[in-house]
Amino acid sequence: TSALPARPDNPARNARPVVSLWQADSNPTKTEVDGFPATRLQADPEALASLHVGQQLALQVPDLNRTLTARLTTTHNQLNNIEVFRGPVTDGHEKDNVIVTRGQTATYVVMSTREGVYSAVINNRTGDTVLTSEKDVQDNLAREEDAIPVPGIDQTPPGGPAG
């Protein structure tokens, strides 16, 4: 018996295409979600429906003036057929990562990078997408006074003189 011939290394055949989940115009539409700044984008519903482990995603982040590339490396399902995909950002820091949670009506994408954390909410049917920066959310929350002041109560410590 003879060994099978070596398979030629063909980068074009072995390369997996990078799938762009959404597109932004050259001047993306700014909006607000619950009072927080956000950016409107348009996702590709077909790309959302075809997510799978091993896939490379292109995730445009206008605030960073760049597109992140991530590879989906793991998946698991939660209740009600919600699919969760995870993977590293391939062109970033070693701890940069992406989590994609796909439900029946919406998909949530969280991109965690050293430059910041960004969240996208995508309508699976229409592709309408809203991208927010966690920094913008935190900055707006820091300005909020959401505590109720409680007046102090004069109390005598135990074992002290009774008044």
Side-chain angles (χ1 to χ4, degrees), residues 26-104:
S26 58
N27 189 16
T29 306
K30 297 293 184 180
T31 187
E32 283 192 356
V33 175
D34 296 329
F36 300 112
T39 304
R40 290 206 175 277
L41 305 168
Q42 186 62 43
D44 179 358
E46 288 181 22
L48 288 173
S50 66
L51 293 176
H52 59 273
V53 170
Q55 190 169 39
Q56 261 196 158
L57 302 178
L59 306 161
Q60 191 175 7
V61 183
D63 286 359
L64 296 178
N65 290 320
R66 72 182 184 109
T67 299
L68 302 176
T69 304
R71 181 175 302 282
L72 300 178
T73 56
T74 65
T75 187
H76 70 274
N77 292 344
Q78 295 181 339
L79 293 175
N80 299 322
N81 294 321
I82 294 174
E83 300 168 299
V84 179
F85 299 90
R86 294 175 187 249
V89 172
T90 55
D91 56 351
H93 185 264
E94 67 181 57
K95 294 191 184 224
D96 292 356
N97 66 79
V98 169
I99 300 172
V100 180
T101 306
R102 181 175 62 191
Q104 289 185 349

Side-chain angles (χ1 to χ4, degrees), residues 127-149:
D128 292 339
T129 304
V130 177
L131 180 69
T132 56
S133 164
E134 292 299 315
K135 181 181 180 323
D136 289 340
V137 172
Q138 291 299 322
D139 288 349
N140 281 319
L141 287 177
R143 293 192 302 248
E144 294 290 322
E145 180 59 53
D146 63 351
I148 298 172

